[in-house]
Amino acid sequence: GEDVEQSLFLSVREGDSSVINCTYTDSSSTYLYWYKQEPGAGLQLLTYIFSNMDMKQDQRLTVLLNKKDKHLSLRIADTQTGDSAIYFCAESIARIQFYFGTGTSLTVIP
Amino acid sequence: KAGVTQTPRYLIKTRGQQVTLSCSPISGHRSVSWYQQTPGQGLQFLFEYFSETQRNKGNFPGRFSGRQFSNSRSEMNVSTLELGDSALYLCASSQIAYRYNEQFFGPGTRLTVL
């Protein structure tokens, strides 16, 4: 199966940390991704992690991967109003086919 | 480099009609994928083309078809439109890299079926 699941909504206050969670089912995934979609725009790649890694940090973004539980999370430190968007996690198998989650709509409250 | 472009950006059709959407990938990208995005369903994979060949297909009825031209531009066709086909259709292009395969998305075509 290629089910990728995310919670639909998350609200945080400006300056707090946001944590967006994702579970996937295919253990043969090679790469896992986080994409951001702003209103009226396509998806923009934020970060990715190779399946043999546990953690990746990129400025305010931290990705944690628990391969045993097939759980991926994205932490955004010091969340800003400009971070309000829909965040999608995705897995790729053999670098060809991508499976996306339903997306988590993040609302940052000033 | 210009990004992925999709035309038209908006379309309104009626049930039973057919529609063709176009996607121009980033120069040098040979892989083009199509997705359907609906609220609550996320992105559903339609198909992927590489060098004019369909390599992968999602779980959509035969009314959805596509093709890719020698210049890597791709078209997607939906015949006999249904109300449930109303969605944002996204195209993504990629260049197979040796480490990971980043997909670059276009802004999408918003299709409304009345």
Side-chain angles (χ1 to χ4, degrees):
Chain A
E2 306 89 15
D3 289 332
V4 181
E5 294 188 355
Q6 302 176 238
S7 53
L8 290 180
F9 303 100
L10 176 66
S11 290
V12 298
R13 294 209 172 271
E14 190 174 15
D16 288 350
S17 291
S18 308
V19 179
I20 303 171
N21 294 301
C22 169
T23 56
Y24 61 98
T25 56
D26 199 315
S27 57
S28 61
S29 298
T30 49
Y31 288 96
L32 295 125
Y33 308 80
W34 283 103
Y35 281 84
K36 177 183 180 183
Q37 184 180 35
E38 296 187 65
L43 276 68
Q44 174 197 359
L45 179 67
L46 281 178
T47 187
Y48 66 95
I49 187 167
F50 188 46
S51 57
N52 70 352
M53 296 169 65
D54 297 326
M55 186 183 90
K56 181 178 180 182
Q57 190 151 0
D58 185 359
Q59 298 183 331
R60 292 190 297 122
L61 306 178
T62 303
V63 179
L64 294 177
L65 175 61
N66 181 328
K67 204 172 177 187
K68 174 175 166 288
D69 294 337
K70 298 190 183 70
H71 183 265
L72 181 73
S73 68
L74 173 70
R75 179 176 178 270
I76 306 173
D78 187 26
T79 313
Q80 303 297 306
T81 54
D83 295 324
S84 292
I86 301 176
Y87 291 81
F88 291 90
C89 70
E91 57 175 344
S92 71
I93 292 119
R95 297 184 302 176
I96 295 174
Q97 191 157 345
F98 285 71
Y99 297 95
F100 285 81
T102 52
T104 299
S105 178
L106 173 65
T107 301
V108 182
I109 304 162
Chain B
K1 263 188 186 177
V4 178
T5 56
Q6 292 187 246
T7 56
R9 292 292 311 277
Y10 302 92
L11 263 180
I12 299 175
K13 293 283 188 179
T14 55
R15 278 181 298 174
Q17 287 187 306
Q18 76 161 19
V19 67
T20 299
L21 313 181
S22 180
C23 171
S24 292
I26 291 172
S27 177
H29 286 193
R30 294 165 65 191
S31 170
V32 174
S33 298
W34 288 90
Y35 297 88
Q36 181 194 65
Q37 183 180 10
T38 53
Q41 291 283 323
L43 273 73
Q44 303 289 315
F45 172 75
L46 281 154
F47 26 65
E48 186 254 354
Y49 287 87
F50 183 84
S51 293
E52 302 178 68
T53 301
Q54 187 183 86
R55 290 197 301 187
N56 278 290
K57 190 175 189 304
N59 192 23
F60 277 81
R63 300 185 297 107
F64 292 81
S65 63
R67 59 178 176 167
Q68 187 181 33
F69 302 95
S70 58
N71 62 357
S72 293
R73 190 177 71 84
S74 178
E75 286 183 349
M76 187 194 111
N77 186 74
V78 188
S79 62
T80 320
L81 283 165
E82 300 176 1
L83 295 179
D85 297 333
S86 294
L88 180 67
Y89 290 88
L90 292 164
C91 157
S93 76
S94 62
Q95 178 181 48
I96 306 297
Y98 80 98
R99 292 198 67 187
Y100 75 101
N101 185 18
E102 178 177 356
Q103 292 201 318
F104 293 84
F105 282 81
T109 295
R110 172 75 62 187
L111 172 65
T112 302
V113 182
L114 302 175

